[in-house]
Amino acid sequence: MSRPPEDHLPKASDSPADDLESDIELNIHELGLHEEQDENNPGESSPWDQSSQGGRIPLRNLRVSRTQGFGAPRQNDSYWDGDSEGLTQDPLGGRDPEGTVEDSAPLLESSNGSTTRRKSLDQGSRRPSIRTRLAKFLSFASTAEQGPVAGHQDAQEDSTAGASRHITVGQYPPPRFPPNAVSNAKYTAWSFLPRTLYNEFSFFFNMYFLLVALSQLIPPLRIGYVSTYVVPLAFVLAITLGKEALDDIGRRRRDAEANKEAYTVLRMQDHSKGSRRKKNRKSGAANAPSKRGRSDTSSSYPNRLDVIEEEEEILGQDRKVPGLGIEVDELSIRARDIKVGDVIKLGKDQRVPADVVILKSSSAESGSAASPLYRSKISPSHTSHTEAGSTSHALESDSWTTVAEHDRPNSVRNSSDISDSHGTGEAFLRTDQLDGETDWKLRLASPLTQSLDPRVFARLCIVAGRPSKKVNEFVGAIDYTPGESPQDDGAPQRESSREKALSVPLNIDNTAWANTVLASNVTVLAVVVYTGAQTRQAMSTTAPRSKIGLLDCEINDLTKILCALTLTLSIVLVALEGFENREEMKWYVAMTRFLILFSTIIPISLRVNLDMGKSVYAWFIERDRGIPGTVVRTSTIPEELGRIEYLLSDKTGTLTQNEMELKKIHVGTVSYANEAMDEVTSHVRQGFVTGPASDALQPTQLVTPSSSYHTSAAGNQTTRTRREIGSRVRDLVLALAICHNVTPTIEEENGESFTTYQASSPDEIAIVCWTEQVGLRLIHRDRKSITLQSVETSRIVVRVRILDIFPFTSEGKRMGIMLQFLEKQDSAESPADKNGEIWFYQKGADTVMTSIVAMNDWLDEETANMAREGFRTLVVGRRKLSAQQYQTFSSEYKEASLSLQYRDAKMARVVKEHLESNLELLGVTGVEDKLQKDVKPSLELLRNAGIKIWMLTGDKVETARCVAVSAKLVSRTQYIHTITKLTPDTPAASALDALSLLRSKPDSTALLIDGDSLSYFLSHHRWEFVSIAVLLPAVIACRCSPTQKADIAYLIRHFTKKRVACIGDGGNDVSMIQAADVGVGIVGKEGRQASLAADFSVTSFHHLTKLLVWHGRNSYKRSAKLAQFIIHRGLIISVCQTIYSIAAHYEPIALYRDWLLVGYATVYTMAPVFSLVLDKDVDEGLANLYPELYKELTNGQSLSYRTFFVWVAVSIYQGSIIQGLSQILVGSSDAEFPRMVSVSFTVLVINELIMVASEIVTWHRIMVASLLGTMAIYIGSVPFLGGYFDLGYVWSWSFAWRVAAISAISLVPPYSVKILRRTLKPPSYRKVQGF
């Protein structure tokens, strides 16, 4: 079939509705239904004007198939490409695989379909055509020829990354969309064993012991029992895999808690007789239960083909349509069971469980019985009446009041009418868990859906773009296909009773993303568009990874050295005997047997002991009463807490509480703070006195800026200065009470009503709350007026009419409002009153307001003082305008707002010329963002511990600067170097110049950088930036996306090779937490996303200091000492084996076999060595008092190559002395072999126990018990070692003195050297202890 001609393709239109429906327009001339039209007005024909259309076409005669005739899609035709035209195709096309059309005769023959359509278009060029739009659900009738193949292809296209999605509201989607489940688990049932085994055998010594164990299956290489080598390896793997399994099971349980959170979902069920009658006629798939296990509700939806058939009968019989009886039920379901297309009901402070599009918002205080959000059922027995002459009809019945007023065929009425009739559909969201911004976000329901009753939501279709990680972007559309509009019995018959289809665009303002919180006191109905892994937050989150501690990597490197030492010994021993002189076995067999004999150099019990130690550290952390609520979610990396050098912290909810409070004001000559606010209250009480009118019939006079300031009764004694100060305070408080975007709402809790405030910025709420505290309360605010009340007298004192609002922008950094003050209480109802004073108020950052306000000599100094205190400053000014001045400004501003080019710049220029010059400076406010408990001392302690702190936030630059100063993240002596507004077009030279200052003074300079500039450096000058940034004591990055936070953590880790910790409390911090070496999550007010994904969960930021400085330090030092003792224990027995092999003429004969080998590493030494996990060199008070003790750990001094080789030297010395003297004093002949083994093995055990005791700094009763108990166990087991020892010799004095002498010679010299070194160069912990 040929390609449709170009003139047939949909043309671009100004209306998104036209774009969305262009592919289902049909020319009536093609169908042979021509109708005359007034040729004088050809342009008045509109697809929306159904009153001008001819007779209705029964739907059974409009056979549209996407695989036949003009509608056939081609894979090579970009016009029909579902991916590229995702938002301009039929929103409902191809979504219902069930229905079929009984009449199989096609409307147009496929052979000439294109010709027919082209011919009609040619005719249309000479004669205007009448066009009609088919109902959106018409495309569901095209399944007879399409079959399952096309449906499957559509499903594949929609599931691809580039496909848009079409969502029928209230109907269940195909199973291609992911479930709405939170998952922080690392493994699945199938991936657990492969991944964990791979991680375990990626460690060199695990692979080494696997090869050693497998070698015992070869008879020539077998030494002793196979179980001697296989069982320890299996035990190690079982312990490690068990810990991983328990950790992951814990994550799944915590995820299950989040997924079980209950939400209210609306279910719309059709109980009309017509629908049931049609359903009874259907068979097969139409009545089949849902395969998704939700047949109880999904089967109750009216089938789209049933509706089509009902419409055909109605059109054929030319009669009224009874309303469909629809019931709306509320069901409570789990968050994980929410599906795409579900309509969920959300209330105040409720977390949004998935990405949704807001359909309807109703204020809580306005939701009365008279105007419910929705009714339970639509009665088909009543009809509503419309005005005479109107072209609109009610949709269903008189009980459908909401729809009768708004859902009309002439719904092209402007959205302001809708807003006025049913509210604005506004809702405020807290998005700090998503993007880190503290400002509340205003979200709006579409005017189309705000005017609808929820019972007709099933007629809506959402067209949404593909899933994306861009939290500030969304492109979509919403389509509404009305049903029949029943007419009144007495109304004249219309030519067409079908209402017109509507389509409106959707943008980011109509959405609410997952893990945001509904902040305003409203009830919101929203439809789910993205779930699970396709939500904005999930796509911005990296997959969890298995974290390996630095200590484990260092030990892995040390084992490679030990393996090389083993191989060297084996080669040397074989070479000394000679490669050709061996008769019993080949040289390579002998060398392999030596390797197996020396395998104890790399102790397999090392991993077991370290993993058990990690569990002990986790137990200590979780049961520390000083940090209650702390949870260890990853028990494999507690030692990493003692090696942190970079700390990346979120701001909102982590360092701050996100609770603002106005702490200080300054009015030019006087500043007020703390207790002085009582004086402000006194000035407000006197300044807002409204006495009764002189005439009792006249309304009470209101306060205006020009009203005189009323003094107290002793006003004669009041000085002029005090009156002036009082007047200034009143003017500033008045300005703060009316220059904002705050809306008061009434809430009820426990039967008591109280007022709360809603606004996009918590700063504004803090200011309005402060004005209420000092005596001036905001009681009413809408788009047109503001009303203020005196707290003392409860009388209305100020009423203003809002003329214009100039909102805050990140570029302008200020907001303004134009007001007209009303002088009498009832004048607000008189729009003709134009005599009120007109004032322009403005507040903003001092950096921009300095040039706007009139000249003064105190503003710069006072704002600098407040900034040093960490306050967020706002400068407030005002200007009075005459009626003529305002008229001139208004006309020019309106003209600029109609410009098609440079509109914003022209509007800003008009405002600047007419308003923003020489404003009267009223004062300065200082707002404090409350810090979390003990943030300042915590940051100070961490800095002294040598940790460099970065603050990464999605908030504004000014906010981040103030918090950095107030939290003492940046000290008073440090200069804050700011880099902002770098774009991809910025020359490289200027960008690098911005970094030059940092390079010159890295120790005394902090960096403040915004997200755009950070993105520029990470893209173009990555290594230049990070090489300088890592040297700075503090870095503050603003406007960071979750991905950027993770990139910074990854960059620091790979550039510096140092340990990086990240801490946050929001869902936007999850990627950063997972990218760090150590992720710490705070259980926030708004959710537990960060806590669930973190390695360690705390309840407050100040708990981090104890987690690092105390538990982290102890964990690292204990594990380092434990690892070195275990290496010493394995190395010393290997040295004994080497000495014996040399004495045995280089034969690979085992010195200690079977139980002696296993028992030495387990029951005879394990408990004392493992008791070192209880040791501590200093107490907690000294660790906090001297955080420099933590700093020395970052260099890895507790476990380094130097300390390792010291222990190797000690092991070689002691092993040589023990075995050498045993052979000398006892002999090494075959007859003397049992006596020699009994002496050397006993000395070996005693040597290890005494070495453990000599290394203990702080004794614990468990340590004493383990040492004495182990010695008792060994003595008690000697009678059972007759197969290895000469028991008669063991109980002799000859045995005793030899054991004592050899033990003394092996222990005294190393201990003497240790005492001498401590005396000459004492360690840091002994210095702080006063030794």
Side-chain angles (χ1 to χ4, degrees):
M1 182 176 152
S2 61
R3 176 185 175 92
E6 286 186 17
D7 59 351
H8 176 67
L9 299 180
K11 295 181 174 60
S13 63
D14 295 334
S15 170
D18 295 340
D19 291 338
L20 286 163
E21 304 193 18
S22 60
D23 62 336
I24 58 170
E25 285 189 316
L26 286 179
N27 195 315
I28 291 183
H29 292 297
E30 341 176 342
L31 310 179
L33 300 175
H34 306 290
E35 184 165 328
E36 294 296 326
Q37 187 183 20
D38 187 1
E39 297 184 2
N40 296 329
N41 299 299
E44 293 182 2
S45 177
S46 169
W48 297 101
D49 188 5
Q50 292 185 5
S51 62
S52 65
Q53 297 174 6
R56 296 296 295 276
I57 306 168
L59 295 182
R60 65 163 53 97
N61 294 332
L62 295 181
R63 181 74 185 161
V64 179
S65 174
R66 292 184 183 271
T67 59
Q68 290 191 5
F70 63 88
R74 296 173 195 74
Q75 295 181 357
N76 298 328
D77 191 338
S78 62
Y79 168 65
W80 301 105
D81 186 3
D83 290 354
S84 60
E85 296 291 329
L87 297 180
T88 58
Q89 62 182 335
D90 181 6
L92 301 179
R95 287 299 303 274
D96 191 350
E98 297 177 354
T100 58
V101 176
E102 298 174 0
D103 184 6
S104 61
L107 174 66
L108 300 174
E109 295 295 330
S110 60
S111 59
N112 59 358
S114 300
T115 307
T116 303
R117 191 158 179 79
R118 186 181 301 109
K119 181 176 179 181
S120 66
L121 286 172
D122 294 338
Q123 293 174 354
S125 63
R126 298 186 300 270
R127 173 180 172 183
S129 63
I130 303 173
R131 316 192 78 183
T132 182
R133 292 177 181 269
L134 302 181
K136 286 281 190 290
F137 48 70
L138 182 61
S139 58
F140 285 91
S142 60
T143 58
E145 292 83 14
Q146 188 169 347
V149 176
H152 177 68
Q153 181 179 0
D154 288 347
Q156 286 182 335
E157 289 178 356
D158 194 40
S159 63
T160 58
S164 61
R165 58 180 58 188
H166 308 275
I167 303 163
T168 304
V169 176
Q171 294 199 7
Y172 301 118
R176 60 180 173 270
F177 298 128
N180 191 50
V182 176
S183 178
N184 291 294
K186 294 182 181 179
Y187 311 104
T188 64
W190 299 104
S191 67
F192 175 74
L193 278 178
R195 289 185 60 185
T196 52
L197 289 177
Y198 173 80
N199 291 334
E200 287 305 307
F201 288 112
S202 62
F203 285 100
F204 174 78
F205 52 83
N206 280 349
M207 180 60 69
Y208 176 80
F209 274 104
L210 177 63
L211 296 176
V212 170
L214 294 176
S215 70
Q216 297 304 290
L217 301 177
I218 304 174
L221 302 179
R222 185 174 301 166
I223 301 175
Y225 298 112
V226 177
S227 59
T228 304
Y229 298 91
V230 175
V231 172
L233 178 62
F235 179 72
V236 169
L237 294 178
I239 291 294
T240 306
L241 268 63
K243 287 178 79 290
E244 282 291 316
L246 289 176
D247 287 345
D248 213 51
I249 290 172
R251 295 187 193 96
R252 289 184 176 274
R253 288 175 178 172
R254 292 186 291 270
D255 291 340
E257 294 177 4
N259 293 327
K260 288 180 181 178
E261 188 175 356
Y263 287 90
T264 300
V265 175
L266 303 190
R267 293 285 184 261
M268 289 157 278
Q269 301 182 9
D270 181 16
H271 294 282
S272 65
K273 295 181 180 180
S275 178
R276 287 197 298 270
R277 180 176 66 253
K278 294 302 174 183
K279 286 187 178 181
N280 292 335
R281 296 179 184 177
K282 308 298 291 183
S283 63
N287 289 329
S290 171
K291 294 182 180 180
R292 296 176 65 96
R294 301 169 77 162
S295 58
D296 57 333
T297 55
S298 62
S299 61
S300 63
Y301 281 100
N303 188 283
R304 291 286 177 143
L305 293 175
D306 296 339
V307 180
I308 292 175
E309 290 182 353
E310 289 177 6
E311 183 187 12
E312 295 172 9
E313 288 187 6
I314 292 165
L315 292 174
Q317 299 174 9
D318 193 23
R319 61 179 176 81
K320 292 191 302 179
V321 185
L324 295 178
I326 297 179
E327 287 187 355
V328 179
D329 297 330
E330 291 187 359
L331 299 179
S332 179
I333 67 173
R334 298 176 301 178
R336 67 173 302 133
D337 295 328
I338 293 175
K339 308 294 182 184
V340 172
D342 279 341
V343 178
I344 59 176
K345 181 180 178 181
L346 300 172
K348 187 176 186 296
D349 292 331
Q350 195 168 10
R351 182 181 69 90
V352 180
D355 289 355
V356 300
V357 169
I358 298 175
L359 300 178
K360 196 177 186 70
S361 175
S362 174
S363 177
E365 58 260 26
S366 64
S368 60
S371 58
L373 193 63
Y374 60 88
R375 301 179 190 273
S376 62
K377 185 174 181 179
I378 300 173
S379 173
S381 60
H382 297 85
T383 58
S384 57
H385 302 271
T386 56
E387 297 179 2
S390 172
T391 61
S392 63
H393 306 281
L395 281 180
E396 299 290 354
S397 64
D398 61 345
S399 66
W400 210 339
T401 55
T402 305
V403 182
E405 292 180 12
H406 294 89
D407 190 17
R408 302 189 270 187
N410 62 342
S411 295
V412 288
R413 37 180 222 136
N414 54 45
S415 60
S416 63
D417 297 336
I418 296 175
S419 300
D420 293 340
S421 300
H422 278 275
T424 59
E426 296 179 350
F428 283 100
L429 298 178
R430 289 197 296 268
T431 63
D432 52 314
Q433 299 291 304
L434 181 68
D435 54 19
E437 297 188 18
T438 56
D439 290 356
W440 291 4
K441 304 297 188 303
L442 176 63
R443 293 294 184 259
L444 302 169
S446 171
L448 172 63
T449 56
Q450 178 69 19
S451 64
L452 295 179
D453 190 284
R455 290 163 293 182
V456 292
F457 281 172
R459 294 175 178 172
L460 296 173
C461 173
I462 304 292
V463 185
R466 64 179 182 179
S468 170
K469 64 173 63 176
K470 298 179 179 178
V471 297
N472 295 319
E473 295 182 11
F474 176 75
V475 177
I478 186 167
D479 298 311
Y480 172 63
T481 305
E484 288 300 311
S485 296
Q487 300 173 359
D488 182 63
D489 293 338
Q493 182 70 27
R494 309 293 180 196
E495 293 182 358
S496 173
S497 61
R498 168 161 292 282
E499 300 181 20
K500 305 176 185 63
L502 294 177
S503 181
V504 295
L506 297 173
N507 56 34
I508 187 64
D509 293 333
N510 308 118
T511 63
W513 300 142
N515 286 321
T516 58
V517 178
L518 186 62
S520 51
N521 188 26
V522 296
T523 300
V524 168
L525 300 182
V527 59
V528 177
V529 291
Y530 305 110
T531 54
Q534 294 182 348
T535 59
R536 278 341 193 236
Q537 178 177 345
M539 296 190 70
S540 300
T541 304
T542 57
R545 63 184 180 91
S546 297
K547 297 183 179 181
I548 300 175
L550 180 60
L551 182 71
D552 293 329
C553 297
E554 291 172 344
I555 293 175
N556 194 51
D557 293 337
L558 296 180
T559 55
K560 295 178 182 178
I561 298 176
L562 293 175
C563 181
L565 179 61
T566 303
L567 181 60
T568 303
L569 281 175
S570 303
I571 295 174
V572 169
L573 292 176
V574 172
L576 291 175
E577 176 66 17
F579 293 101
E580 304 296 336
N581 298 331
R582 293 185 174 272
E583 298 179 357
E584 297 181 0
M585 64 183 69
K586 298 294 184 180
W587 65 269
Y588 50 82
V589 175
M591 188 174 67
T592 306
R593 287 174 63 89
F594 273 125
L595 283 172
I596 297 171
L597 288 174
F598 295 148
S599 63
T600 54
I601 290 181
I602 308 173
I604 194 170
S605 60
L606 178 61
R607 284 301 304 276
V608 177
N609 282 271
L610 289 178
D611 287 345
M612 292 175 61
K614 296 174 192 290
S615 299
V616 172
Y617 308 148
W619 190 88
F620 286 154
I621 292 172
E622 292 184 341
R623 283 156 182 79
D624 190 337
R625 297 181 179 178
I627 47 175
T630 301
V631 179
V632 179
R633 305 199 187 280
T634 304
S635 60
T636 58
I637 56 172
E639 301 93 352
E640 296 297 279
L641 294 171
R643 308 286 294 276
I644 302 300
E645 293 193 50
Y646 291 90
L647 175 64
L648 276 56
S649 173
D650 179 41
K651 179 187 73 69
T652 307
T654 303
L655 298 178
T656 68
Q657 302 180 32
N658 196 25
E659 295 179 3
M660 310 299 175
E661 182 180 3
L662 194 148
K663 303 288 288 187
K664 188 176 184 180
I665 65 170
H666 196 285
V667 293
T669 56
V670 182
S671 64
Y672 298 92
N674 303 322
E675 293 80 5
M677 291 298 181
D678 295 337
E679 190 172 350
V680 176
T681 304
S682 175
H683 289 309
V684 171
R685 186 185 304 113
Q686 297 177 17
F688 291 92
V689 175
T690 55
S694 56
D695 188 348
L697 300 178
Q698 296 295 324
T700 305
Q701 294 290 326
L702 300 177
V703 176
T704 67
S706 300
S707 300
S708 59
Y709 178 77
H710 295 271
T711 60
S712 60
N716 296 333
Q717 287 77 27
T718 304
T719 64
R720 178 180 177 183
T721 302
R722 178 171 177 79
R723 286 197 300 272
E724 291 179 353
I725 294 176
S727 179
R728 290 182 183 179
V729 171
R730 184 199 66 173
D731 292 341
L732 177 60
V733 173
L734 175 61
L736 296 175
I738 59 178
C739 184
H740 52 70
N741 282 307
V742 180
T743 301
T745 60
I746 305 298
E747 295 187 12
E748 186 171 323
E749 184 175 341
N750 299 327
E752 297 182 0
S753 298
F754 57 93
T755 302
T756 61
Y757 298 109
Q758 300 174 6
S760 62
S761 172
D763 297 59
E764 292 196 324
I765 295 179
I767 292 174
V768 172
C769 289
W770 176 83
T771 61
E772 180 179 358
Q773 292 174 3
V774 297
L776 195 59
R777 178 187 294 133
L778 174 68
I779 62 171
H780 175 75
R781 163 71 182 262
D782 56 27
R783 293 186 176 183
K784 298 179 180 179
S785 64
I786 297 176
T787 304
L788 304 180
Q789 178 189 59
S790 172
V791 175
E792 183 184 21
T793 63
S794 299
R795 300 175 63 179
I796 295 177
V797 292
V798 177
R799 300 190 73 174
V800 297
R801 182 183 295 120
I802 301 176
L803 303 178
D804 291 291
I805 297 179
F806 311 96
F808 176 90
T809 62
S810 57
E811 293 80 15
K813 300 180 182 179
R814 58 191 182 275
M815 73 85 60
I817 188 169
M818 187 78 71
L819 304 168
Q820 184 178 29
F821 284 82
L822 307 179
E823 298 179 356
K824 299 179 181 179
Q825 286 197 22
D826 62 347
S827 59
E829 301 176 359
S830 177
D833 182 12
K834 299 182 180 180
N835 297 326
E837 302 175 6
I838 298 177
W839 288 82
F840 170 67
Y841 287 89
Q842 190 172 61
K843 65 180 180 183
D846 58 287
T847 54
V848 296
M849 292 295 292
T850 302
S851 59
I852 295 176
V853 299
M855 293 293 295
N856 61 88
D857 57 357
W858 60 270
L859 179 59
D860 293 339
E861 180 181 358
E862 187 57 33
T863 54
N865 292 335
M866 289 189 180
R868 279 192 291 270
E869 296 180 55
F871 295 147
R872 304 164 73 162
T873 58
L874 282 177
V875 179
V876 185
R878 68 178 181 180
R879 180 173 185 170
K880 186 176 182 180
L881 282 77
S882 64
Q884 181 61 37
Q885 288 175 325
Y886 173 72
Q887 204 64 33
T888 303
F889 161 77
S890 181
S891 60
E892 294 187 17
Y893 189 73
K894 182 177 181 180
E895 181 181 354
S897 66
L898 298 176
S899 300
L900 298 180
Q901 293 183 342
Y902 309 109
R903 177 183 301 172
D904 293 340
K906 292 180 179 179
M907 294 169 66
R909 185 171 62 250
V910 172
V911 172
K912 186 173 183 63
E913 291 177 354
H914 291 270
L915 303 178
E916 296 181 338
S917 61
N918 291 322
L919 264 64
E920 178 188 353
L921 177 58
L922 297 179
V924 182
T925 65
V927 177
E928 180 187 43
D929 191 350
K930 292 183 179 179
L931 300 175
Q932 293 282 0
K933 180 183 178 182
D934 295 334
V935 163
K936 294 181 182 180
S938 298
L939 291 176
E940 182 70 21
L941 188 147
L942 294 175
R943 265 202 310 270
N944 293 335
I947 299 176
K948 295 180 173 63
I949 304 172
W950 292 38
M951 185 175 75
L952 311 180
T953 177
D955 221 331
K956 299 183 289 293
V957 174
E958 294 78 8
T959 303
R961 181 194 294 271
C962 293
V963 171
V965 173
S966 62
K968 306 302 181 186
L969 178 63
V970 178
S971 65
R972 292 177 178 268
T973 60
Q974 291 176 347
Y975 166 72
I976 301 179
H977 182 59
T978 305
I979 301 178
T980 57
K981 298 181 180 179
L982 296 184
T983 64
D985 299 331
T986 303
S990 61
L992 294 177
D993 287 343
L995 297 176
S996 60
L997 178 62
L998 299 174
R999 191 182 297 275
S1000 61
K1001 297 181 179 179
D1003 295 332
S1004 60
T1005 306
L1007 173 63
L1008 176 63
I1009 187 171
D1010 65 354
D1012 293 337
S1013 303
L1014 180 63
S1015 178
Y1016 173 83
F1017 281 119
L1018 295 181
S1019 301
H1020 298 85
H1021 307 288
R1022 175 183 292 258
W1023 298 112
E1024 292 88 344
F1025 171 76
V1026 71
S1027 63
I1028 298 176
V1030 295
L1031 302 176
L1032 304 177
V1035 176
I1036 303 101
C1038 316
R1039 295 296 187 186
C1040 284
S1041 66
T1043 305
Q1044 283 181 323
K1045 293 183 178 182
D1047 289 343
I1048 293 174
Y1050 178 86
L1051 190 63
I1052 296 176
R1053 283 177 48 221
H1054 285 264
F1055 181 82
T1056 63
K1057 306 301 181 184
K1058 305 294 186 182
R1059 300 291 95 179
V1060 177
C1062 294
I1063 182 170
D1065 73 315
N1068 61 313
D1069 303 317
V1070 171
S1071 294
M1072 174 180 71
I1073 287 173
Q1074 293 177 339
D1077 296 298
V1078 176
V1080 182
I1082 297 178
V1083 181
K1085 297 179 181 179
E1086 315 302 344
R1088 303 176 59 192
Q1089 295 81 22
S1091 170
L1092 293 175
D1095 304 308
F1096 301 89
S1097 172
V1098 297
T1099 56
S1100 181
F1101 180 85
H1102 74 281
H1103 291 167
L1104 181 66
T1105 58
K1106 188 171 187 180
L1107 196 64
L1108 297 182
V1109 175
W1110 176 241
H1111 289 288
R1113 183 177 184 274
N1114 286 339
S1115 299
Y1116 171 63
K1117 290 186 71 67
R1118 290 166 176 171
S1119 288
K1121 184 181 292 186
L1122 179 63
Q1124 292 175 127
F1125 250 100
I1126 294 174
I1127 291 174
H1128 165 264
R1129 185 180 64 188
L1131 190 58
I1132 192 174
I1133 198 173
S1134 298
V1135 172
C1136 293
Q1137 176 67 54
T1138 303
I1139 299 299
Y1140 175 73
S1141 297
I1142 294 174
H1145 303 288
Y1146 310 107
E1147 291 295 330
I1149 301 173
L1151 174 62
Y1152 308 120
R1153 292 173 298 174
D1154 304 334
W1155 169 250
L1156 293 183
L1157 196 62
V1158 175
Y1160 173 74
T1162 54
V1163 295
Y1164 297 149
T1165 60
M1166 183 174 179
V1169 171
F1170 186 72
S1171 68
L1172 291 174
V1173 300
L1174 304 175
D1175 193 20
K1176 57 183 180 181
D1177 53 2
V1178 295
D1179 58 23
E1180 183 180 349
L1182 287 176
N1184 291 327
L1185 185 61
Y1186 299 99
E1188 292 80 5
L1189 293 173
Y1190 182 90
K1191 187 175 183 179
E1192 67 180 13
L1193 301 185
T1194 59
N1195 299 325
Q1197 295 180 2
S1198 296
L1199 179 62
S1200 61
Y1201 287 114
R1202 186 186 65 83
T1203 60
F1204 169 73
F1205 284 113
V1206 167
W1207 278 101
V1208 169
V1210 171
S1211 301
I1212 294 175
Y1213 168 77
Q1214 292 182 333
S1216 301
I1217 292 297
I1218 292 172
Q1219 186 60 31
L1221 292 180
S1222 296
Q1223 293 179 181
I1224 294 173
L1225 296 178
V1226 180
S1228 59
S1229 62
D1230 292 342
E1232 297 169 336
F1233 181 77
R1235 293 185 176 185
M1236 184 268 294
V1237 169
S1238 61
V1239 171
S1240 65
F1241 190 80
T1242 302
V1243 173
L1244 199 63
V1245 172
I1246 294 174
N1247 180 86
E1248 197 66 21
L1249 297 182
I1250 296 177
M1251 285 292 292
V1252 169
S1254 66
E1255 289 295 323
I1256 293 176
V1257 178
T1258 304
W1259 283 88
H1260 191 280
R1261 60 179 179 273
I1262 295 179
M1263 295 178 176
V1264 177
S1266 65
L1267 287 170
L1268 297 179
T1270 299
M1271 195 65 206
I1273 290 174
Y1274 176 71
I1275 295 174
S1277 66
V1278 169
F1280 302 96
L1281 301 178
Y1284 309 101
F1285 292 173
D1286 184 348
L1287 296 182
Y1289 179 74
V1290 168
W1291 305 113
S1292 65
W1293 283 106
S1294 176
F1295 172 82
W1297 75 261
R1298 284 177 173 83
V1299 169
I1302 296 173
S1303 299
I1305 296 173
S1306 68
L1307 288 168
V1308 172
Y1311 187 74
S1312 300
V1313 173
K1314 180 179 180 180
I1315 294 297
L1316 180 62
R1317 185 176 179 276
R1318 283 185 178 180
T1319 304
L1320 298 178
K1321 189 178 180 181
S1324 300
Y1325 74 87
R1326 294 186 68 86
K1327 293 178 182 179
V1328 300
Q1329 286 176 336
F1331 286 90

